[in-house]
Amino acid sequence: MIDSETLPQRPPEPQRPQETEQPEARPGPEPRPQGRSAPQLPPPSEQAYHRAARAIPHRRYWWRPLVALGVTAVVFVVLNIQVMAPLMILGEYWPAVATSVSMTDPLNPADQFLGLGMLALLVPAVLVGSLVGYGRAGIALSVLGRFRWGLMGRVAVVVVPVYLLVNLVLNLILERDAVVVPQLGAGVIVAWLLTLVLAPLQCAGEEFVFRALPMQMVGTWLRWPLIGILLPVPLFVLGHGYTGLGIIDIAAFAIVMGLLAWKTGGLEIPILLHTANNWTLFAIAPLIPGFTEQGEVTVLGFLLAMVPMLLLAAGIWWWYSRRAGLGLWEPQRGWGQAPSSARAPVPAATAAPSAARTSRPLSG
């Protein structure tokens, strides 16, 4: 009898872990097809003054100049209704503040306030229009998005003495026989002071509406600056009412101011030249009856207006090119805001062609 303990024992089978029933995975929802991605904004790049709106990234540009123009017109009308209309109504009941028949009397405070103040309101109107239309009001001032007071001050050191000599001294000498000292009274003093205060704002208003607004409107659509410079010239001439040589003088002035705005990248120099000319003429207008009346211009008056303006403009053009490190026919460019707050430059591989060469801005 064989002992069972002597037989080879089969090793015990390892115990298999008990399988637990896993819940069947339910198929999830199929992924939805994604729509088109949002269009990318164009990379920011430095732009000349007439193209300053293009320095602000937007998906669409074509309609923005139209909005800027429409808002400017509406704001200008509203401001005139609120500021000028009450004065005209008051003049009907209070003769002391009534305007003259011509509304150009340099000794009448109401004439000076209405004539100069109405044009001064173009400054806030254009700034609001630029803000709503382009998204940044400062581009109407300069390619740095602000007014460069330092630049104006440096140029004024030369410009102001020239116009003081030509418009004040020479005109008083040439018109010495026509000089009439008015009887000083409260009305005459107030009219003269209003003229000196409002003349710079009047000049600035004209530069905003005849230079900044059309140049940047057309420049948003087209690259060529001359179209935006030449387009408002007929309106500028018609708004001044000169004949003969006066038309040539006013047209040349408008073209030169537009070129200077393009070259220097802002309105500071055009406003300075415009103000220096008008301010010095208005200052002596009460002494010479009819001195600032528009109409026919003599040959001597034409030369006294054209020669200083052209010489100063040429000198400023050359000086600014050297100081800003620009070529003679190269404009100042900028980001539409101060360099400290401007966006970081785009890498050269993706940057726009206009940003390839960076000029040194004259920040002032």
Side-chain angles (χ1 to χ4, degrees):
M1 188 172 187
I2 302 174
D3 189 359
S4 61
E5 295 180 357
T6 62
L7 293 176
Q9 299 293 325
R10 182 180 296 177
E13 295 183 0
Q15 295 183 356
R16 296 179 181 179
Q18 295 182 356
E19 296 182 357
T20 58
E21 295 183 0
Q22 299 290 339
E24 296 182 0
R26 297 180 181 179
E30 296 182 1
R32 297 179 181 178
Q34 296 182 353
R36 295 181 180 179
S37 60
Q40 297 295 322
L41 293 175
S45 61
E46 285 186 309
Q47 299 289 347
Y49 180 70
H50 71 294
R51 299 274 291 173
R54 289 280 179 170
I56 307 171
H58 291 299
R59 293 189 179 91
R60 299 288 184 270
Y61 288 95
W62 68 266
W63 53 269
R64 295 186 176 277
L66 303 177
V67 173
L69 177 62
V71 172
T72 297
V74 171
V75 172
F76 180 64
V77 171
V78 171
L79 289 177
N80 272 281
I81 293 175
Q82 293 181 341
V83 178
M84 299 301 171
L87 180 63
M88 299 185 69
I89 296 173
L90 183 62
E92 296 293 328
Y93 300 95
W94 189 13
V97 295
T99 59
S100 66
V101 177
S102 64
M103 295 185 65
T104 58
D105 185 359
L107 303 179
N108 188 311
D111 284 8
Q112 297 306 302
F113 184 79
L114 285 174
L116 301 177
M118 186 178 298
L119 294 174
L121 293 177
L122 289 168
V123 174
V126 174
L127 288 175
V128 174
S130 297
L131 177 62
V132 177
Y134 306 121
R136 195 175 297 161
I139 63 171
L141 300 171
S142 75
V143 292
L144 296 185
R146 61 180 177 84
F147 199 85
R148 297 168 292 180
W149 291 102
L151 171 62
M152 173 182 275
R154 284 190 288 270
V155 180
V157 173
V158 176
V159 169
V160 173
V162 170
Y163 276 103
L164 285 173
L165 174 63
V166 174
N167 284 354
L168 257 69
V169 178
L170 287 183
N171 276 309
L172 285 176
I173 293 173
L174 295 173
E175 301 288 343
R176 59 186 179 275
D177 295 333
V179 172
V180 176
V181 179
Q183 183 178 0
L184 292 180
V188 172
I189 296 175
V190 170
W192 189 69
L193 292 176
L194 280 174
T195 300
L196 298 184
V197 171
L198 293 177
L201 297 176
Q202 171 254 336
C203 297
E206 291 188 5
E207 293 304 318
F208 271 91
V209 79
F210 289 111
R211 249 64 74 187
L213 185 62
M215 285 179 67
Q216 294 184 345
M217 282 184 61
V218 177
T220 304
W221 297 318
L222 305 174
R223 294 183 179 274
W224 306 297
L226 278 179
I227 299 177
I229 293 172
L230 297 176
L231 190 64
V233 171
L235 295 176
F236 189 72
V237 172
L238 290 174
H240 285 77
Y242 286 101
T243 59
L245 291 175
I247 294 178
I248 300 176
D249 174 29
I250 294 298
F253 182 86
I255 294 172
V256 170
M257 294 305 104
L259 289 172
L260 284 173
W262 171 78
K263 174 64 178 180
T264 62
L267 290 183
E268 297 89 352
I269 304 304
I271 290 176
L272 172 64
L273 288 169
H274 202 155
T275 300
N277 179 71
N278 286 17
W279 190 83
T280 50
L281 292 176
F282 287 144
I284 60 174
L287 302 177
I288 306 173
F291 183 66
T292 55
E293 289 182 2
Q294 300 173 355
E296 186 66 31
V297 175
T298 64
V299 175
L300 181 58
F302 174 77
L303 293 176
L304 287 176
M306 285 285 290
V307 173
M309 183 265 294
L310 293 176
L311 291 178
L312 286 170
I316 293 169
W317 190 287
W318 175 82
W319 170 81
Y320 192 90
S321 297
R322 286 177 59 87
R323 185 175 181 84
L326 301 169
L328 193 60
W329 298 106
E330 181 185 5
Q332 178 69 67
R333 292 183 171 89
W335 301 91
Q337 55 187 333
S340 59
S341 59
R343 295 189 179 189
V346 182
T350 60
S354 61
R357 186 183 188 278
T358 303
S359 56
R360 178 165 62 89
L362 207 66
S363 60

